[in-house]
Amino acid sequence: MPALTGQLNSINVNTEFTTMANDIFNRRVNGPWSALCKVMPLSGSTLELDAIGPNPAVQKMLGSRPFSSLRAYSKPTPAVEYTADGLELPRSVVEGDKSGMVRGRLADYLAATADFFEKPVIDLLLSNPIGIDGVSLLNDSHPFGASGGTWDNRTTDALSQSSLEAGIVAMRGLRFENGEPAGFFPTHLVVGPANEREALDLVGGDRMMPVSNAGAPDAASNVVAAIALRNWVGGRLQVIVVDRFANGSNDNDWMLCDLSKPNVRPLAVGELIAPAGVVVDDPQAEAMIQRANYQYYVSACAAITGYAPHCIYGRVA
């Protein structure tokens, strides 16, 4: 009878693990990575994206009606397996748990993996991956600019009032190859913990403006006073703080992003198999035969890649 009770207990615990996992991963995630990505189902083994073409120009029709097409993305991204570090618990502990300790530990494990793709997505972002135009996401020479030229969305400047304004101007001034405005305006400022205070100061309702002894505003030298000035950026940008920027190399990186367009994001995640909780409790499994242990883990299969450079501007180490 005790053996049967233990087996029923393990069945309940293992079923509860998969139920909790399904509940967590079926909900819409809210982590920073999800704001930076377009998440889409993947029907094949690779993710292929169409490049963003120019906005249609409205003009007087002379002769034949003009048509254009999308450029195919030349670098398909294969789907690969992603897994969270698993848990291996003794069968005796699971089947003998009467206090709920095992259930609590498994719930904590699933809560810690709720933002399943956060690490691979942020790691990819900080690696400055290749985007849909064939060059790195932040680059000094993107192709397909106005009149066949190139365009730039990368800076080496630290985050400041001047560099922030330069980034806003660059994003608003972007033109497609036909000369039409690309139509991007930053909605978010993405920083690490090292730049959190600076970012909040820059996008707040008011800012302190230094004045030189000659009366010049935004002075960098001969500063004699500072005045509170209504910030023209105030309320137009939201700050996203990503703790993973604090890695010793990317602490001072910052990025402006236009996240107002759901189908145009800096990164893309193609899900072949969505994240799901897995329980290995088969009596013939290696862990059961060799160690009498149950195994629990979360796994997914996805293609993660750089996507639209048009909606991002900033600095990456």
Side-chain angles (χ1 to χ4, degrees), residues 12-220:
N12 291 337
V13 170
N14 296 346
T15 301
E16 191 170 337
F17 176 82
T18 55
T19 301
M20 286 190 297
N22 290 336
D23 179 58
I24 287 173
F25 296 120
N26 286 336
R27 278 183 266 155
R28 190 169 185 84
V29 293
N30 296 313
W33 75 269
S34 63
L36 298 168
C37 290
K38 173 177 171 57
V39 180
M40 64 195 82
L42 193 61
S43 57
S45 59
T46 60
L47 175 63
E48 298 187 25
L49 301 167
D50 286 325
I52 298 172
N55 288 342
V58 178
Q59 55 191 317
K60 183 184 295 185
M61 185 171 171
L62 300 173
S64 301
R65 190 182 307 278
F67 286 92
S68 62
S69 182
L70 296 174
R71 289 181 293 273
Y73 184 29
S74 60
K75 180 179 171 292
T77 304
V80 299
E81 191 82 14
Y82 290 91
T83 186
D85 294 341
L87 290 176
E88 187 168 308
L89 301 178
R91 176 184 175 186
S92 59
V93 171
V94 175
E95 295 186 4
D97 179 38
K98 295 180 175 59
S99 65
M101 179 272 295
V102 171
R103 286 180 171 82
R105 180 66 188 94
L106 292 176
D108 291 343
Y109 169 79
L110 288 172
T113 61
D115 281 318
F116 184 81
F117 287 116
E118 179 193 5
K119 185 181 188 307
V121 164
I122 299 302
D123 286 350
L124 181 71
L125 176 67
L126 295 178
S127 74
N128 200 16
I130 301 299
I132 55 176
D133 56 5
V135 300
S136 56
L137 202 60
L138 295 172
N139 197 284
D140 296 325
S141 299
H142 285 284
F144 311 120
S147 303
T150 60
W151 57 278
D152 176 11
N153 69 340
R154 185 171 186 175
T155 181
T156 57
D157 295 336
L159 180 61
S160 67
Q161 186 72 35
S162 297
S163 60
L164 179 72
E165 291 179 2
I168 294 173
V169 170
M171 290 188 73
R172 294 196 73 176
L174 179 61
R175 296 289 187 273
F176 285 127
E177 51 266 62
N178 64 352
E180 285 297 294
F184 291 92
F185 185 92
T187 58
H188 291 75
L189 175 57
V190 184
V191 299
N195 273 327
E196 181 176 6
R197 179 178 176 180
E198 179 71 13
L200 291 172
D201 286 346
L202 289 174
V203 304
D206 298 300
R207 71 180 182 92
M208 296 302 294
M209 183 181 71
V211 181
S212 74
N213 55 9
D218 287 320

Side-chain angles (χ1 to χ4, degrees), residues 179-258:
E180 285 297 294
F184 291 92
F185 185 92
T187 58
H188 291 75
L189 175 57
V190 184
V191 299
N195 273 327
E196 181 176 6
R197 179 178 176 180
E198 179 71 13
L200 291 172
D201 286 346
L202 289 174
V203 304
D206 298 300
R207 71 180 182 92
M208 296 302 294
M209 183 181 71
V211 181
S212 74
N213 55 9
D218 287 320
S221 59
N222 299 320
V223 176
V224 295
I227 60 173
L229 188 69
R230 183 68 181 170
N231 189 2
W232 70 275
V233 182
R236 304 175 80 177
L237 294 174
Q238 295 182 47
V239 174
I240 296 178
V241 182
V242 181
D243 291 342
R244 292 188 182 277
F245 278 33
N247 59 12
S249 299
N250 302 99
D251 299 65
N252 293 310
D253 289 354
W254 61 274
M255 298 156 194
L256 283 168
C257 297
D258 182 350

